Amino acid sequence: MTWSEMQPLLEQACTETLVMVGWSTLIAVLGGLPLGILLVLTDKGGLLQNTVVNKVIGQIVNVGRSMPFIILMVALMNFTRWITGTTIGSEAAIVPLAIGGIPFFARLVETAVREVDGGLVEAVQSMGGNTWTIVRKVLVPEALPSLIASTTTTVIALIGYSAMAGTVGGGGLGDLAVRYGYQRFETGLMWITVAVLAVAISLIQFAGDYAARSLHRRGARSGPGPKLRLLKAKEPDAATVGEAA
């Protein structure tokens, strides 16, 4: 197979992989972020401590993480067909990819949020901040570099899942490697596909690491966190004290 024959196949496969990974990552982040934060809030000593809710969410996340992706795809075929009308193609692959990515990202979010300094949470609580304020002003901003790194890890994992989805007609680079590289013995095309995946993962990892380091350095230079600045803003000034006297 010549390069002119390979090029349109690679372009189509890259587009399909980009669509699958892009949409599944978006859904995984939107679903996994609140789940991960909720796991922290409902845990023992959390702001919304609730053992039953925490155990239920934890078990759901554990089951989702422990299930091999190829089995998850098969188990969700009827649900995928109900959502997309088919079980073949890149659009159908988004459903199991997203469902598999949500618990994966949720655990990473839980780990990132647990690293936030508890003293900052107590500072906002002492100012009368409610749970939503603490989540919005403390937990998410302080954990943002780790959340960026977690998103990078999730994207890379979903790229691997999408290649696996290609083995059962999911489309993308995995499907191209199987149909042409393996079944038609086009070894050159298969190795090009492997190289494209390796380069894509390296670039994504570099971009994610750079973004996480930049946010971390910016946070270190900015001095006291937004919570402590709010605390200082609550302190009465000299004029107010004089008038009160």
Side-chain angles (χ1 to χ4, degrees):
M1 181 178 288
T2 63
W3 172 249
S4 60
E5 295 172 325
M6 293 182 186
Q7 187 176 359
L9 295 174
L10 286 168
E11 290 177 353
Q12 181 182 358
C14 288
T15 301
E16 291 174 349
T17 298
L18 181 63
V19 170
M20 286 190 293
V21 175
W23 278 107
S24 58
T25 298
L26 177 62
I27 297 171
V29 170
L30 293 177
L33 182 62
L35 269 183
I37 294 174
L38 199 58
L39 281 170
V40 177
L41 295 178
T42 58
D43 199 6
K44 185 177 180 180
L47 298 174
L48 301 175
Q49 180 175 333
N50 190 315
T51 304
V52 175
V53 172
N54 184 265
K55 294 295 183 184
V56 170
I57 296 175
Q59 286 301 316
I60 293 173
V61 170
N62 289 338
V63 170
R65 288 185 61 203
S66 63
M67 188 174 296
F69 181 71
I70 192 70
I71 297 177
L72 181 65
M73 285 191 66
V74 174
L76 292 174
M77 276 188 174
N78 290 333
F79 180 71
T80 301
R81 186 181 290 109
W82 179 68
I83 293 292
T84 64
T86 181
T87 58
I88 299 174
S90 56
E91 291 183 1
I94 292 173
V95 176
L97 282 171
I99 293 177
I102 288 174
F104 183 86
F105 186 67
R107 281 301 183 193
L108 296 177
V109 170
E110 180 189 10
T111 302
V113 172
R114 287 190 189 280
E115 296 175 354
V116 176
D117 186 2
L120 298 176
V121 176
E122 294 175 359
V124 178
Q125 280 183 306
S126 68
M127 295 161 49
N130 57 25
T131 302
W132 171 244
T133 300
I134 292 172
V135 170
R136 188 167 55 92
K137 295 290 187 180
V138 182
L139 297 183
V140 172
E142 291 296 319
L144 192 55
S146 296
L147 292 176
I148 294 296
S150 299
T151 304
T152 304
T153 302
T154 303
V155 171
I156 292 174
L158 289 175
I159 290 176
Y161 290 167
S162 71
M164 194 181 304
T167 63
V168 291
L173 290 169
D175 180 55
L176 181 65
V178 170
R179 285 193 297 114
Y180 288 88
Y182 177 72
Q183 295 177 351
R184 302 187 186 183
F185 304 103
E186 294 288 350
T187 307
L189 179 59
M190 183 174 65
W191 283 113
I192 291 175
T193 302
V194 172
V196 170
L197 286 170
V199 170
I201 288 173
S202 298
L203 291 175
I204 291 170
Q205 187 67 62
F206 174 80
D209 290 345
Y210 179 80
R213 285 195 300 267
S214 298
L215 288 172
H216 184 74
R217 288 195 297 266
R218 185 182 303 173
R221 289 195 303 267
S222 65
K227 292 70 55 184
L228 299 185
R229 288 198 294 270
L230 286 173
L231 243 184
K232 291 180 180 179
K234 292 289 185 178
E235 295 176 357
D237 55 19
T240 303
V241 173
E243 291 175 2

